[in-house]
Amino acid sequence: MSEAKNIPYKIYLEESELPKYWYNVRADMKVKPAPLLHPGTLKPMTAEDLAPVFCEELIKQELDDDTREYPIPQPILDFYKMYRPSPLVRAYCLEKKLQTPAKIYYKFEGNNTSGSHKLNSAIAQAYYAKQQGLKGVTTETGAGQWGTALSMACSYFGLDCKVYMVKVSYEQKPFRREVMRTYGASVVPSPSDTTNVGRAILERFPGTTGSLGCAISEAVEVATSTPGYRYVLGSVLNQVLLHQSVIGLETKIALDKYGIVPDIIIGCAGGGSNLGGLISPFMGQKLRGEADYRIIAVEPASCPSFTRGKFAYDFCDTGKVCPMAKMYTLGSGFIPAPNHAGGLRYHGMSSILSQLYHDGYMEARTVEQTSVFRAAEEFARVEGILPAPESSHAIKVAIDEAMKCKETGEEKTIVFGLTGTGYFDLVAYEKFHNGEMTDYIPTDEDLAKGFAGIPDIGIE
Amino acid sequence: MSEAKNIPYKIYLEESELPKYWYNVRADMKVKPAPLLHPGTLKPMTAEDLAPVFCEELIKQELDDDTREYPIPQPILDFYKMYRPSPLVRAYCLEKKLQTPAKIYYKFEGNNTSGSHKLNSAIAQAYYAKQQGLKGVTTETGAGQWGTALSMACSYFGLDCKVYMVKVSYEQKPFRREVMRTYGASVVPSPSDTTNVGRAILERFPGTTGSLGCAISEAVEVATSTPGYRYVLGSVLNQVLLHQSVIGLETKIALDKYGIVPDIIIGCAGGGSNLGGLISPFMGQKLRGEADYRIIAVEPASCPSFTRGKFAYDFCDTGKVCPMAKMYTLGSGFIPAPNHAGGLRYHGMSSILSQLYHDGYMEARTVEQTSVFRAAEEFARVEGILPAPESSHAIKVAIDEAMKCKETGEEKTIVFGLTGTGYFDLVAYEKFHNGEMTDYIPTDEDLAKGFAGIPDIGIE
């Protein structure tokens, strides 16, 4: 498509060009995402229902389907200036390597110590917690990206930060844990004896190495039972996609500055925080009928929520303590096969993205993990960045699309989200280098087990 | 000192503003650094002497005391564009935390996958090797920063890269090793049975975990005995300081753009690659009498080459196979105490910097490692970046100087080099968090043992 001349390798916006507001894509959706339901009453959650768990201002954002733009508070803008703008990079070297006529750009969110885009929402959530006069927040973390981001954010605003880290990660990823400790967080291996939930699980399964579902339950229990604490979450929620819109807004400003119009926008999708953020302003144009883009969500073949999941109300956590959400889901009991190394392991998907996918505004595609790591290595060797496995899902599909352009001779413009770096994922890289990485596609029977856990609540 | 208004958090130069040449500070030195000597004949090394070890073009650069500016070849400029410019960051948050009237800036070189400034010279050395038609290069690496940078550079130009990695690091830092493998390097634990030197050492010391000196000897043996190979090195050499001048040049262009004049420039110093690069254009002005700056080299108290070493001709490696250099040295047998965690463990120092220090153009200061990690953590918490232990030596002294300004009320402008990130140094951070880190200052007797190994060759 159209393109100006002299596109630099990296487009860095000036401080004055940075977005001053977050964009709420729900305002432009004709069919709004279905509301969260109370797991007991099955009625839509109200602000009062949510108040013991989440910060007030964040609840407002969570429930607000109408406000199009949220001004970003100045203290958050100031923090963003420490690591934003993130560069929009023209992948000249990758294009050359592939000998494709396609023009490839990626928005790189890894240049901060949390190593990913998670910091964009962590700092917002910490800010509102501080504003409310809270003492601290609790959360869970699996691999540790979100926990690291939240630790940094809490340290900046002087909030306590308690992270329940899945025990197996706590033990196998000690470095992530140390980064969090550097930022003053208290990191607890989950299950732990600090909560009722944890103690019960330890009693029933003494040798367990934990799960994300259990860690969530512990974090929520501590938040709701400790005065001055609330629980925060790094993906899936509407508020998170709102904060992450900063990724897409910056991308769009940078593209517009050089007169670049993308044909295809690609993002990896676990709970949807990155994808939702990256595509938001483009999706807004699409929803308003102002422009058209192909938007592709990429998920692991071993955890295929969009492509093989059911669109239904389901539990957001294995402990079933959280509100229920309507989303593409594999069932809250679904856990990817043990050989799964590439992140993006959540059983469900953001309600916003689920609705948009259901309504035909975006595509979804699965990729297998060995092909993901192959793409990661190819990318690293020419573009210099060691990508996170999650991000590499998007790389894989960007390369696939660029190779199609090579066949057809089309000069398409491809933009993808490079969400983070892989410095803490080298055990998986090692497996790949040693030829020990395998692929796994769940059978229909595997999926049926997960689907059996989706409750039939009689609400579509 | 003087300062313009509205300094952004981060100054990113435009592509068109990037340096097009490297600056050779030797051209402005009245007293040139002493030449390398042949360890057998004790005569200055000629280009012919060096040809079996180093690439031709790099030898020219090594021996050239006169050419002021070296145009950077276009392919290197193109590679630089992938990760440069590095940001010059105004440490607003650190200033606020310290409540100092000082204005603190840091040049951050960690935003690339090698995690440090080492890539600036690695890509240059790989380029010249490729230009010469070589098949590959060999090198040694301790902690792995240089090995990673070289792997990336060789991958880009399609060169073989063989890295001899000190065995203890190979085993204890498997992640660094995997990054190198991602870039296609072959990484060999040293000592190994692939060389005569390695086999001899293994026979004499079957259980040895290796040393940098041994790894150098193996890398040099392979380079000189394999057709189409040469040896490359990431610090100490004149050519390395030449390439690293890109750090200082960018810093100066960014400062000039905003009318900022530094009072104090601070860099950590191991072999001198970062410090030499950062200060070069400023030192040039000083040598030419055009400006004056306080320049401070920071070294670990446990490896105090500048502050307690001798200025003498010495061996550059423990194996004594390399040319001899005149430098501040602790003796080629000196090894920092086992509790030393913070990098910067080379026994000698760049000849250029040694001469400049000897002639009074710069100061040097030692810091103890627990205070370094304390500064690192303080910095990380407010500035968001997890610094490498090496870089944190400079942070420590920058904070010290800023606190002096607080006492005196002086609004000094401090610039320091933040050479890299600490993602692969979390074992050391963990020790620090657990209160297990100790300090060690070598006694005069300790140093005497190292000094005893400095040869008396009758040449001053």
Side-chain angles (χ1 to χ4, degrees), chain B residues 26 36 45-65 70 125 128 132 230-231 237-240 242-243:
Chain B
R26 285 167 287 167
L36 295 171
M45 294 290 286
T46 63
E48 292 71 41
D49 293 333
L50 292 167
V53 184
F54 295 125
C55 305
E56 284 161 24
E57 193 60 33
L58 293 168
I59 293 170
K60 238 164 74 183
Q61 296 177 1
E62 190 64 31
L63 300 178
D64 181 355
D65 285 346
Y70 270 84
Q125 297 193 45
Y128 291 115
Q132 196 177 324
R230 291 294 184 282
Y231 168 72
L237 297 175
N238 298 338
Q239 58 186 267
V240 175
L242 176 69
H243 307 146

Side-chain angles (χ1 to χ4, degrees), chain A residues 258-391:
Chain A
Y258 287 89
I260 307 161
V261 180
D263 298 289
I264 309 175
I265 303 167
I266 301 167
C268 60
S273 68
N274 155 66
L275 180 69
L278 174 67
I279 66 174
S280 60
F282 304 97
M283 184 58 83
Q285 288 184 296
K286 203 164 165 169
L287 288 163
R288 296 190 302 270
E290 295 166 8
D292 198 14
Y293 308 101
R294 275 186 67 203
I295 294 174
I296 308 177
V298 190
E299 55 185 18
S302 49
C303 191
S305 330
F306 269 135
T307 48
R308 298 177 69 195
K310 290 199 190 305
F311 189 46
Y313 264 107
D314 194 11
F315 301 106
C316 290
D317 61 321
T318 5
K320 305 181 183 178
V321 299
C322 297
M324 301 180 72
K326 188 171 180 192
M327 56 185 177
Y328 281 87
T329 175
L330 300 165
S332 61
F334 179 85
I335 292 174
N339 71 343
H340 177 69
L344 310 172
R345 47 175 64 243
Y346 187 62
H347 69 275
M349 183 57 66
S350 144
S351 288
I352 294 175
L353 294 181
S354 292
Q355 191 63 50
L356 290 167
Y357 178 66
H358 181 258
D359 294 345
Y361 287 101
M362 48 190 276
E363 308 165 32
R365 200 173 296 175
T366 62
V367 288
E368 296 181 41
Q369 68 179 358
T370 51
S371 73
V372 165
F373 276 82
R374 212 172 298 121
E377 188 165 279
E378 182 166 19
F379 178 84
R381 288 190 182 186
V382 291
E383 290 289 323
I385 296 169
L386 185 80
E390 294 84 348
S391 327

Side-chain angles (χ1 to χ4, degrees), chain B residues 170-190:
Chain B
Y170 182 91
E171 285 164 1
Q172 290 181 359
K173 295 208 172 186
F175 292 171
R176 275 277 185 210
R177 183 184 78 207
E178 289 310 317
V179 181
M180 290 185 252
R181 285 176 78 193
T182 301
Y183 287 93
S186 99
V187 188
V188 185
S190 168

Side-chain angles (χ1 to χ4, degrees), chain A residues 9 15 113 178 182 386 433, chain B residues 9 15 113 178 381 386 433:
Chain A
Y9 271 64
E15 242 177 59
T113 286
E178 289 311 316
T182 300
L386 185 80
H433 295 145
Chain B
Y9 271 63
E15 240 176 61
T113 287
E178 289 310 317
R381 289 190 182 184
L386 186 80
H433 295 146

Side-chain angles (χ1 to χ4, degrees), chain B residues 52 83 89 108 138 177 363 366 368:
Chain B
Y83 71 101
V89 187
F108 180 44
T138 71
R177 183 184 78 207
E363 309 164 33
T366 63
E368 297 181 42

